[in-house]
Each structure stands twice: as C-alpha cells, then as structure tokens.
Amino acid sequence: MHIRPTADAFYPSDLEPWSQYLTGKQGQAPDPLYDPVAFMIAEAHKRGLEFHAWLNPYRVSQKSDTTQFAPSHVFHRHRDWFVEYGGQWYFDPGIPQCREFANAMLLDLVKRYDVDAIHFDDYFYPYRVSVKDEQGKSHTVEFPDSLSWERYGKPFFKDRDAWRRQNVNLLIEEFSRTIRQTKPWVKFGISPFCVWRNASKDPRGSQTSVQQTNYDDLFADILLWMDRGWIDYVTPQMYYPTTHKSANYDKVLSWWSNLTQPDKFHLYCGLSMWNETPELQYEIARQREMPDKVQGTFFWSTRVFMQNKKGLNQVLQADEYRYPALVPPMPWHDMTPPAAPKNLSADGKAHLVMLSWETVYSDNLMYYLVYRFAKGQAVDLDDPSAIVAKVLYDHDARKVYLDQEVAAGEYTYVVTALSRNNVESTPVETTVKVSKTKVKTINKKE
C-alpha cells in the first residue's frame, strides 16, 4: 500500500504532512480523525495478509506548482534540498541531509507501526526526460544536480554517474540497517524496472534492448543490493508481454531467475494485470516451472482487480489460485518455530464445529493455521487444499475457530502455530466424528 507517495503521509507524522491523495489537500487531516495506516494494518492481519508499506524515497510532487505543498512541508524549510525535473519536484539524492531526512521518516514509521515490510518501486533517480528543439530533434535533459555534484561528488568521484549510483546505494544500505536494527523481522523489498542493463552494454545484462535501464539511467544498482544482502526480496516489474520486441517476458524472466539465491533473497515476479488473461496465465505457468528460483508473484495494479476486467478474478481464482498458500520462509531471518498450541478440542454439530485451543506465547508467533482432512485423506501439511483458516494470534490466551462448512462425517483437524517468517510449529491434532447433533472425539495427538 502506497503510504508515502510524495513526501506526505497516510498516517499522522511530525515529519511530513497528511497526504493529498488521502483527503484531496496536502496537510488536511481526515475528518473525523483516524489513522488509515493503523486501520489498514489491523484489517490486513485479520485476513492473514502481510502489510508492505510502499514508500517513494525521492519523489516530492507530480506537478511543478509549489503552492500545492502544505505549510508544514519540508520543502519550505529546506528549499535547497529540492530540484525540479520534467515538471515534478524531487529530493536531490546527492545531498546527505535528504538521505538523513528519509531515514528519520523510515525509523519513525517502523517504530510506530506493525508493518511486515518496507517496499520501494522503480522511483530512484527519475527516468530521463527528453525535449524537442526548434528543429524537432529530441535531446535528453540532464538531472539538475550540478550544485550537489560540485560540493559532494566532484571532489571524490571522476564519474558523475558512479557518484549518483553511490548516493542510491547509501540510501538502500542505511534503510536496510535501520530496519534490521529496529525490527529485524521487517522485510525490505525493491520492485525495480525489469531491465538492469542491456547485454549490449554489459555482458552480465539481459538480452533486451530498452532505452533506459536501472543501472545506466535510474542509477539503481539492484544487483549490488542483492549481493550485499541489503534487501530481502526483489520484484522486477516484468510488465512486458511475450510479444514485446525489446524486453519480452520470457527473456526477462530467464535473466532474473538465473540470478536467484534463495538462501539470500527471494524473487517475486511483478506481473501487469493490464495484460490479457491468457498472457497472464502463461506468465504464471512459466514461473511455476521453476519453484526453486521463483518464490512468488506480485500483481499491478489493484485497479484491474477492482474492475474485474473480463471476469479475470474468477478465472484466476478457479484456475491459478484455488487454494491458500504461505509465503515461503526466508532462511536468513528467524527460522525458530513458535511454540505449538495445546489442548485442541472440538465441539458442536454438522455445519458448525467449534475448535478451540490454548495459545503458548512465543515472541515470533503471528498466526495459527487450521487444517481439515476428511476420512481417508492423508494428513499432509504440504497439501494446501486442507487449509481452512489462518487465525490471527492477537495475544489471546485461548483461540476459537468456527468451521461452518463441514458436513456429517469423520475428520482430522490439525492446528499449527505460524511465525512472522512463516515457519510452522509442530502440529496438534484431533480426529472427530461429526453428526447432526454432536461432535465426538475419536483420537487426539499433542
């Protein structure tokens, strides 16, 4: 969820004003007053979802008009930190104080909110802007950081582009350090443009021929961040369809999947929901052919889900996502299983079975998973079709789950505790016979 689009916030902050994308006017609080981020996190966790806080580190506006900035905006206190480029305003990444301000914003957010991850997309240095001269010839406009280059870059770097990359490297490294020192379980992910470099410029690059790339134009050396372990996942924006000439999906997927180090970072492919349904289904199928290299999928944008274009939601649910799935654990995070629940019991009758169990505190405990296996079905915790619920722990001494979709018959219920890193505890189980009038326990395993 985008909660810091243009140096403004979807939450109360002493550092930045309320976002214009929340209320229509920057600096204007919701009325009646509430905290949208706290609400969204709570509602996401109730549904077993992770909440990834999406931040733009450098973008300050999507218009050149400075009257849009609230009186409390940092623009008014430190005008020298900002540059205008292509009709938009940006923090100058070459000024150390801009990085310090962004890091202070991050520290405040991570301390105060139970976010599961911090997320950046491809907005580092902006995409290069071109203008046409009187003869109609296009010319690239240089990003206006000459003042910071003269003061902070030129005395130490011969190459201005290398200095720009170092500015972004420092931001990523400091964000990573701040997150891990504050809440080590919070993930840090980047969703870059899908082309790091073209192979024509670098033999390590992909077989693509795009005009702008992460390394050469956005000054984002994503491979370095992955190699240094500064980020937990990368979600390249693989939005080009298989028919695209300069960067088709198959070539891009092949390049990124060959970089995978699943003991160091996860690869989640970013797919465009604007592609046609058969194209999306093909892309998902290709990823699933390489489960050791691709750990999941991100979709952009939610708008298409909300529109349910050509019944896309029903197609994906019926064909691609029939069952729930856990995010794969990250082995460089805490792999300690949480304490298992105790005293699992079942009561009720057909169509309304009440399960209850005692919770056992663990500092990494986040959820409980409830499985239901019919008589004759193997008790296999790798079978996602058996998952019937993901129940938020929420510091209760005892949890209750109502299974309202069970007919008369014999079943084995299994409950496991689940950590923030999606590591499961040892299971507890009870086998019951459900009739129209009661639930009879046949066997229990703790």
Side-chain angles (χ1 to χ4, degrees), residues 61 63-66 75 79 81-92 126 141-145:
S61 78
K63 299 178 182 178
S64 59
D65 180 13
T66 60
F75 179 90
R79 172 63 186 81
W81 289 2
F82 301 89
V83 293
E84 185 182 5
Y85 184 64
Q88 300 185 27
W89 285 94
Y90 298 89
F91 285 98
D92 183 344
V141 179
E142 190 70 19
F143 186 75
D145 56 359

Short mmCIF file of all heavy atoms in Angstrom, two decimals, residues 61 63-66 75 79 81-92 126 141-145:
data_model
loop_
_atom_site.label_atom_id
_atom_site.label_comp_id
_atom_site.label_asym_id
_atom_site.label_seq_id
_atom_site.Cartn_x
_atom_site.Cartn_y
_atom_site.Cartn_z
N SER A 61 6.60 15.63 -5.75
CA SER A 61 5.34 16.07 -6.35
C SER A 61 5.25 15.54 -7.76
O SER A 61 6.25 15.16 -8.37
CB SER A 61 5.24 17.60 -6.37
OG SER A 61 6.03 18.12 -7.45
N LYS A 63 3.57 17.57 -9.90
CA LYS A 63 3.30 18.84 -10.56
C LYS A 63 4.41 19.83 -10.19
O LYS A 63 5.08 19.68 -9.18
CB LYS A 63 1.95 19.41 -10.12
CG LYS A 63 0.75 18.53 -10.45
CD LYS A 63 -0.53 19.16 -9.93
CE LYS A 63 -1.74 18.27 -10.21
NZ LYS A 63 -3.00 18.86 -9.66
N SER A 64 4.58 20.84 -11.02
CA SER A 64 5.62 21.84 -10.73
C SER A 64 5.13 22.95 -9.80
O SER A 64 5.95 23.71 -9.25
CB SER A 64 6.11 22.47 -12.04
OG SER A 64 5.04 23.08 -12.74
N ASP A 65 3.83 23.06 -9.60
CA ASP A 65 3.24 24.12 -8.78
C ASP A 65 3.59 23.92 -7.30
O ASP A 65 3.11 22.97 -6.66
CB ASP A 65 1.72 24.11 -8.97
CG ASP A 65 1.02 25.18 -8.15
OD1 ASP A 65 1.72 26.08 -7.63
OD2 ASP A 65 -0.22 25.10 -8.02
N THR A 66 4.37 24.81 -6.72
CA THR A 66 4.80 24.67 -5.32
C THR A 66 3.74 25.11 -4.32
O THR A 66 3.88 24.86 -3.12
CB THR A 66 6.09 25.46 -5.07
OG1 THR A 66 5.86 26.85 -5.35
CG2 THR A 66 7.22 24.95 -5.94
N PHE A 75 9.72 21.09 2.23
CA PHE A 75 10.12 21.94 1.11
C PHE A 75 10.32 23.39 1.55
O PHE A 75 11.24 24.07 1.10
CB PHE A 75 9.06 21.86 0.01
CG PHE A 75 9.36 22.72 -1.20
CD1 PHE A 75 10.09 22.19 -2.26
CD2 PHE A 75 8.90 24.02 -1.29
CE1 PHE A 75 10.35 22.97 -3.39
CE2 PHE A 75 9.17 24.81 -2.40
CZ PHE A 75 9.90 24.27 -3.46
N ARG A 79 14.48 24.56 1.14
CA ARG A 79 14.28 24.69 -0.30
C ARG A 79 15.49 24.19 -1.09
O ARG A 79 15.35 23.65 -2.21
CB ARG A 79 13.97 26.16 -0.63
CG ARG A 79 13.93 26.50 -2.09
CD ARG A 79 12.81 25.77 -2.82
NE ARG A 79 12.87 26.02 -4.25
CZ ARG A 79 13.69 25.38 -5.08
NH1 ARG A 79 14.50 24.45 -4.63
NH2 ARG A 79 13.69 25.66 -6.37
N TRP A 81 17.19 21.61 -0.73
CA TRP A 81 17.25 20.16 -0.86
C TRP A 81 16.57 19.65 -2.14
O TRP A 81 16.70 18.48 -2.47
CB TRP A 81 16.55 19.48 0.32
CG TRP A 81 17.27 19.59 1.63
CD1 TRP A 81 18.43 20.24 1.91
CD2 TRP A 81 16.83 19.00 2.86
NE1 TRP A 81 18.76 20.11 3.24
CE2 TRP A 81 17.79 19.35 3.85
CE3 TRP A 81 15.74 18.23 3.24
CZ2 TRP A 81 17.67 18.94 5.18
CZ3 TRP A 81 15.62 17.82 4.55
CH2 TRP A 81 16.59 18.17 5.52
N PHE A 82 15.85 20.51 -2.83
CA PHE A 82 14.94 20.05 -3.86
C PHE A 82 15.30 20.59 -5.23
O PHE A 82 15.83 21.69 -5.36
CB PHE A 82 13.50 20.45 -3.51
CG PHE A 82 13.03 19.91 -2.19
CD1 PHE A 82 13.24 20.63 -1.02
CD2 PHE A 82 12.43 18.67 -2.12
CE1 PHE A 82 12.83 20.12 0.20
CE2 PHE A 82 12.03 18.15 -0.90
CZ PHE A 82 12.22 18.88 0.27
N VAL A 83 14.99 19.77 -6.25
CA VAL A 83 15.19 20.18 -7.64
C VAL A 83 13.94 19.85 -8.43
O VAL A 83 13.20 18.92 -8.10
CB VAL A 83 16.42 19.47 -8.27
CG1 VAL A 83 17.70 19.94 -7.61
CG2 VAL A 83 16.29 17.95 -8.19
N GLU A 84 13.72 20.62 -9.49
CA GLU A 84 12.59 20.38 -10.38
C GLU A 84 13.09 19.73 -11.66
O GLU A 84 14.11 20.14 -12.23
CB GLU A 84 11.87 21.69 -10.71
CG GLU A 84 10.61 21.50 -11.53
CD GLU A 84 9.93 22.81 -11.89
OE1 GLU A 84 10.51 23.88 -11.58
OE2 GLU A 84 8.85 22.76 -12.49
N TYR A 85 12.39 18.71 -12.10
CA TYR A 85 12.82 17.98 -13.30
C TYR A 85 11.60 17.39 -13.98
O TYR A 85 10.81 16.67 -13.35
CB TYR A 85 13.79 16.86 -12.90
CG TYR A 85 14.38 16.09 -14.05
CD1 TYR A 85 15.21 16.71 -14.99
CD2 TYR A 85 14.12 14.73 -14.20
CE1 TYR A 85 15.78 15.99 -16.03
CE2 TYR A 85 14.68 14.00 -15.25
CZ TYR A 85 15.50 14.64 -16.16
OH TYR A 85 16.06 13.93 -17.20
N GLY A 86 11.42 17.75 -15.25
CA GLY A 86 10.29 17.20 -16.01
C GLY A 86 8.94 17.58 -15.44
O GLY A 86 7.99 16.80 -15.53
N GLY A 87 8.85 18.77 -14.85
CA GLY A 87 7.58 19.21 -14.29
C GLY A 87 7.23 18.61 -12.96
O GLY A 87 6.08 18.72 -12.51
N GLN A 88 8.19 17.97 -12.29
CA GLN A 88 7.98 17.39 -10.97
C GLN A 88 9.13 17.81 -10.05
O GLN A 88 10.21 18.17 -10.51
CB GLN A 88 7.91 15.87 -11.05
CG GLN A 88 6.79 15.35 -11.93
CD GLN A 88 6.66 13.83 -11.88
OE1 GLN A 88 7.01 13.20 -10.90
NE2 GLN A 88 6.14 13.25 -12.95
N TRP A 89 8.86 17.73 -8.74
CA TRP A 89 9.88 18.06 -7.75
C TRP A 89 10.42 16.79 -7.10
O TRP A 89 9.69 15.83 -6.88
CB TRP A 89 9.31 18.98 -6.67
CG TRP A 89 9.11 20.39 -7.13
CD1 TRP A 89 7.97 20.94 -7.64
CD2 TRP A 89 10.09 21.43 -7.15
NE1 TRP A 89 8.17 22.25 -7.97
CE2 TRP A 89 9.47 22.58 -7.67
CE3 TRP A 89 11.44 21.50 -6.76
CZ2 TRP A 89 10.15 23.79 -7.83
CZ3 TRP A 89 12.11 22.71 -6.91
CH2 TRP A 89 11.47 23.83 -7.44
N TYR A 90 11.73 16.82 -6.81
CA TYR A 90 12.40 15.68 -6.20
C TYR A 90 13.36 16.14 -5.11
O TYR A 90 13.92 17.24 -5.20
CB TYR A 90 13.24 14.91 -7.25
CG TYR A 90 12.44 14.33 -8.37
CD1 TYR A 90 12.19 15.07 -9.53
CD2 TYR A 90 11.94 13.03 -8.29
CE1 TYR A 90 11.45 14.54 -10.57
CE2 TYR A 90 11.19 12.49 -9.33
CZ TYR A 90 10.95 13.25 -10.47
OH TYR A 90 10.21 12.72 -11.49
N PHE A 91 13.55 15.30 -4.08
CA PHE A 91 14.72 15.46 -3.23
C PHE A 91 15.95 15.26 -4.11
O PHE A 91 15.95 14.39 -4.99
CB PHE A 91 14.75 14.40 -2.12
CG PHE A 91 13.78 14.62 -1.00
CD1 PHE A 91 12.57 13.96 -0.97
CD2 PHE A 91 14.11 15.46 0.06
CE1 PHE A 91 11.68 14.13 0.07
CE2 PHE A 91 13.23 15.65 1.12
CZ PHE A 91 12.01 14.99 1.12
N ASP A 92 17.00 16.01 -3.86
CA ASP A 92 18.27 15.79 -4.56
C ASP A 92 19.01 14.66 -3.85
O ASP A 92 19.47 14.83 -2.72
CB ASP A 92 19.11 17.07 -4.55
CG ASP A 92 20.40 16.93 -5.33
OD1 ASP A 92 20.81 15.80 -5.63
OD2 ASP A 92 21.02 17.98 -5.64
N PRO A 126 14.91 9.86 -11.29
CA PRO A 126 13.77 9.69 -12.21
C PRO A 126 14.22 9.23 -13.60
O PRO A 126 15.37 9.40 -14.00
CB PRO A 126 13.16 11.09 -12.27
CG PRO A 126 14.28 12.02 -11.92
CD PRO A 126 15.13 11.27 -10.94
N VAL A 141 17.40 15.83 -21.23
CA VAL A 141 17.64 16.88 -20.25
C VAL A 141 18.37 16.27 -19.06
O VAL A 141 17.92 15.25 -18.50
CB VAL A 141 16.32 17.52 -19.78
CG1 VAL A 141 16.59 18.60 -18.73
CG2 VAL A 141 15.56 18.09 -20.97
N GLU A 142 19.47 16.85 -18.66
CA GLU A 142 20.26 16.33 -17.54
C GLU A 142 19.55 16.62 -16.22
O GLU A 142 18.97 17.69 -16.03
CB GLU A 142 21.65 16.98 -17.53
CG GLU A 142 22.63 16.37 -16.57
CD GLU A 142 23.09 14.98 -16.99
OE1 GLU A 142 22.95 14.62 -18.18
OE2 GLU A 142 23.58 14.24 -16.11
N PHE A 143 19.58 15.64 -15.31
CA PHE A 143 19.01 15.86 -13.99
C PHE A 143 19.78 17.02 -13.31
O PHE A 143 21.01 17.02 -13.29
CB PHE A 143 19.14 14.59 -13.15
CG PHE A 143 18.45 14.66 -11.81
CD1 PHE A 143 17.08 14.57 -11.72
CD2 PHE A 143 19.20 14.82 -10.65
CE1 PHE A 143 16.44 14.63 -10.49
CE2 PHE A 143 18.58 14.89 -9.42
CZ PHE A 143 17.20 14.80 -9.33
N PRO A 144 19.07 18.00 -12.75
CA PRO A 144 19.71 19.25 -12.29
C PRO A 144 20.36 19.14 -10.92
O PRO A 144 19.95 19.81 -9.95
CB PRO A 144 18.55 20.23 -12.29
CG PRO A 144 17.35 19.41 -11.99
CD PRO A 144 17.59 18.08 -12.65
N ASP A 145 21.42 18.33 -10.82
CA ASP A 145 22.10 18.18 -9.54
C ASP A 145 23.53 18.72 -9.58
O ASP A 145 24.43 18.23 -8.90
CB ASP A 145 22.11 16.71 -9.10
CG ASP A 145 22.73 15.78 -10.15
OD1 ASP A 145 23.14 16.27 -11.23
OD2 ASP A 145 22.79 14.56 -9.90
#
